[in-house]
C-alpha cells in the first residue's frame, strides 16, 4: 500500500506530503487496508480450525484494535492494560488470551471477571495465584501452560523467548508435571498448551521443531488422561525489512505445523503481531537541520529514539525513503534525532540524496513496536498517529502537548 504516484510517495491514495501538511510531523501513518489484508491472510490460512489473536503489544492504538476486532480478530494480551483496551473496543472476551510471566493479582481478577478465553500460565506460583483468586470470586479459570520448548531461532537475542535460560514459560522437562498439578486444582480448567519462541523469525524450521516438541507433550498428556482442546503456536513470523529478506507466509507456516499435529479436532491459536501491523505503518519525519562533516553527513530529524526505539535497541534496519522523488546526488548519511545520546539514530550509513531543510523522509515498516514502544524521554510529547483508508485520513492519536507531560505529576 506504499506506492509512488508520479513524484509523490503515498500510503494507499494519500500523498505523504499532504499528511505532513495536515497533521504535522513526526507522525506514524498506517494503511488500514494493509493490515486488514495481512490479517485476512492469516484467517484464510487457518480457516475454521481456530483463532487468530492479534498480539496487541505490537500496536495497541485503539482505532487499530477496533478495526481488527470488527473483522473478527482475537487478542493476545500481556497486561491488564491491554485487556482493558481490547474490551473497550469490543473484542470478544472468548477470543482473548493472556500471557506474561508477571501477572498481578489485580490483573488476574480483572481477566477472570471479564471471562477471557484463557490464561497462558508461566509458572506454578502463578497457577496457585490464579486458582486462589478464582476460588475467592467463585469462577473457574481456564488455562494453558506456556511451555519453553528450548528452541533457539535466528533472531536478535533480546527477542528470543523459547530458549533454555530465558524467563519464559514452564521448563520443557517439567511440562507434564505441571499439568498433573493443575489437574488437581479445584478452580482450574485445563484447556490447552502454548509456546512462543521469539520474534522476527524468517525460517520455518524452528517453529516446526518447537511444534514437534509440543506434540510430544500433548501425546504424553493424553497417556495421563489429559486431553487438550487448543494448541497455541504463538506469534513470531518475521517480515521483510530489507529487500534480500524473504518471509514465509502464514499459509507456509500453518501447513508445516498442521502436518505435525495431525489430529483434526484440535483447535489452533496463532498470535501474530509484527506480521499483521509492521508493514502497514511508517514513521513520517522532517529534516530539521543538516550537518556535513569530514567523517559523514547527518540529517537531523524531528523524530528520535524515544519515538522509534528499534534501531538503537536491536540495531534494527528500517528503510528510509524521501517522500518526493528527487534526482540529487546521494551521499552516505546518518539519520539521527534530537536526543542527547549517540545511540539516538534512525538509520546509519544510508545512501540518501542531499535533502533540504524541511523536507520529509519515511521510515518504513515501523507499524509494529514503533509507537507502542515510544516514550517521552527528553520531555518529548508522544507523536500523532494517522490512519489512511483509500483516499481518506483520520487522526487516531492526537499529538501530545507540553502540558500533557505534566498530567500526572504533582
Ligand atoms: N505472543 C507472545 C507471547 C509474545 O510475547 C509476542 C511478542 C507475540 C505473540 C507476537 O510476536 P510477533 O508476531 O510480533 O513477532 N519489541 C520487539 C519485539 C518483541 C516481541 C515480544 N513478544 C521488536 O521491536 O522487535
Amino acid at each position: 500500500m506504499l506506492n509512488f504516484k508520479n513524484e509523490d510517495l503515498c500510503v494507499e491514495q494519500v500523498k505523504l506530503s499532504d499528511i505532513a501538511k495536515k497533521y504535522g510531523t513526526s507522525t506514524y501513518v498506517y494503511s488500514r487496508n494493509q493490515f486488514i489484508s495481512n490479517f485476512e491472510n492469516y484467517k484464510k490460512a487457518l480457516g475454521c480450525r481456530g483463532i487468530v489473536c492479534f498480539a496487541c503489544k505490537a500496536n495497541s492504538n485503539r482505532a487499530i484494535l477496533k478495526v481488527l476486532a470488527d473483522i473478527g480478530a482475537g487478542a493476545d494480551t500481556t497486561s491488564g492494560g491491554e485487556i482493558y483496551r481490547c474490551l473497550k473496543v469490543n473484542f470478544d472476551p472468548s477470543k482473548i488470551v493472556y500471557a506474561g510471566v508477571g501477572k498481578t493479582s489485580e490483573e488476574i481478577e480483572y481477566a477472570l471477571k471479564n471471562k477471557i478465553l484463557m490464561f497462558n500460565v508461566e509458572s506454578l506460583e502463578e497457577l496457585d495465584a490464579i486458582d486462589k483468586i478464582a476460588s475467592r470470586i467463585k469462577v473457574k479459570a481456564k488455562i494453558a501452560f506456556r511451555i519453553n520448548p528450548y528452541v533457539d531461532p535466528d533472531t536478535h537475542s533480546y527477542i528470543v523467548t523459547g530458549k533454555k535460560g530465558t524467563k519464559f514459560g514452564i521448563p520443557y522437562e517439567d511440562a507434564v508435571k505441571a499439568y498433573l498439578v493443575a489437574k488437581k486444582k479445584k478452580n482450574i480448567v485445563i484447556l490447552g498448551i502454548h509456546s512462543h519462541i521469539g520474534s522476527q523469525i524468517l525460517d520455518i524450521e524452528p517453529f516446526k521443531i518447537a511444534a514437534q516438541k509440543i506434540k510430544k507433550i500433548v501425546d504424553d498428556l493424553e497417556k495421563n488422561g489429559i486431553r487438550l482442546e487448543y494448541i497455541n503456536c504463538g506469534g513470531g513470523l518475521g517480515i521483510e525489512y530489507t529487500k534480500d529478506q524473504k518471509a514465509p507466509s502464514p499459509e507456509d507456516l500453518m501447513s508445516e505445523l498442521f502436518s505435525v499435529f495431525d489430529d483434526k479436532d484440535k483447535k489452533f491459536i496463532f498470535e501474530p503481531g509484527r506480521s499483521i501491523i509492521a508493514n502497514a505503518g511508517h514513521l513520517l519525519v522532517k529534516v530539521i537541520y543538516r550537518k556535513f562533516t569530514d567523517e559523514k553527513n547527518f540529517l537531523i530529524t524531528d523524530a528520535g529514539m524515544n519515538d522509534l526505539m528499534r534501531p538503537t535497541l536491536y540495531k534494527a534496519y528500517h528503510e528510509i525513503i524521501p517522500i518526493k522523488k528527487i534526482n540529487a546526488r546521494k551521499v552516505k548519511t546518518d539519520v539521527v534525532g534530537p536526543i542527547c545520546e549517540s545511540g539516538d539514530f534512525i538509520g546509519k550509513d544510508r545512501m540518501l540524496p542531499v535533502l533540504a531543510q524541511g523536507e520529509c523522509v519515511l521510515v518504513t515498516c515501523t507499524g509494529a513496536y514503533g509507537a507502542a514502544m515510544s516514550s517521552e524521554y527528553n520531555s518529548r510529547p508522544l507523536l500523532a498517529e494517522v490512519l489512511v483508508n483509500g483516499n481518506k485520513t483520520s487522526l487516531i492519536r492526537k499529538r501530545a502537548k507540553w502540558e500533557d507531560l505534566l498530567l500526572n505529576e504533582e
Side-chain angles (χ1 to χ4, degrees), residues 386-405:
V386 168
L387 185 64
V388 178
N389 181 17
N391 59 7
K392 295 195 192 72
T393 59
S394 14
L395 184 63
I396 58 170
R397 185 186 169 97
K398 281 188 213 150
R399 186 177 306 286
K401 302 191 178 80
W402 288 335
E403 298 92 276
D404 299 329
L405 297 171

Side-chain angles (χ1 to χ4, degrees), residues 42 55 57-58 76 78 99-100 120 122 146 158-159 161 168 194 196 198-201 234-238 241 271-275 310 313-314 368-370 373:
Y42 267 95
K57 60 179 79 65
D76 160 46
T78 201
N120 293 324
E122 307 222 15
R146 176 174 182 171
Y158 289 3
I159 53 178
T161 53
F168 298 99
H194 172 239
H196 169 77
S199 195
Q200 183 53 16
I201 301 167
L237 202 59
Y241 285 107
E271 303 175 335
R274 187 189 312 268
S275 48
R310 302 196 71 256
L313 187 57
Y314 312 115
Y369 309 108
M373 289 174 71

Side-chain angles (χ1 to χ4, degrees), residues 283 285 296-301 303-305 308-313 315-321 331-337 342-352 361-364 366:
L283 178 58
V285 309
K296 55 173 74 166
N297 294 335
F298 295 93
L299 288 180
I300 299 162
T301 73
M305 64 191 267
L308 178 65
M309 240 169 106
R310 302 196 71 256
T312 192
L313 187 57
K315 306 280 174 288
Y317 179 95
H318 292 274
E319 200 181 341
I320 299 172
I321 315 177
V331 291
K332 202 186 259 186
T333 305
D334 278 8
V335 181
V336 301
S342 297
D344 179 29
F345 59 89
I346 292 174
K348 284 194 162 176
D349 296 330
R350 304 297 176 84
M351 290 309 288
L352 284 171
V361 294
L362 195 69
V363 188
T364 64
T366 49

Side-chain angles (χ1 to χ4, degrees), residues 16-75:
L16 284 151
S17 53
D18 289 344
I19 294 180
K21 249 182 255 152
K22 182 161 178 193
Y23 299 101
T25 58
S26 29
T27 295
Y28 276 102
V29 183
Y30 304 96
S31 157
R32 184 177 187 272
N33 290 298
Q34 181 68 64
F35 68 80
I36 289 180
S37 142
N38 296 341
F39 175 77
E40 294 295 348
N41 285 343
Y42 267 95
K43 230 170 103 179
K44 207 164 102 206
L46 185 57
C48 54
R49 298 190 70 175
I51 317 173
V52 184
C53 292
F54 174 60
C56 47
K57 60 179 79 65
N59 191 312
S60 53
N61 181 292
R62 70 197 301 212
I64 289 172
L65 293 181
K66 179 160 185 351
V67 172
L68 289 167
D70 286 351
I71 57 174

Side-chain angles (χ1 to χ4, degrees), residues 197-236:
I197 56 174
S199 195
Q200 183 53 16
I201 301 167
L202 291 169
D203 178 11
I204 297 231
E205 198 54 25
F207 289 110
K208 197 169 172 188
I209 297 170
Q212 284 160 342
K213 291 181 127 180
I214 294 294
K215 166 79 163 76
K216 163 106 183 43
I217 297 172
V218 173
D219 292 345
D220 288 350
L221 289 174
E222 293 210 349
K223 286 182 204 136
N224 283 282
I226 299 174
R227 201 172 152 68
L228 303 179
E229 198 181 329
Y230 284 94
I231 312 267
N232 184 334
C233 304

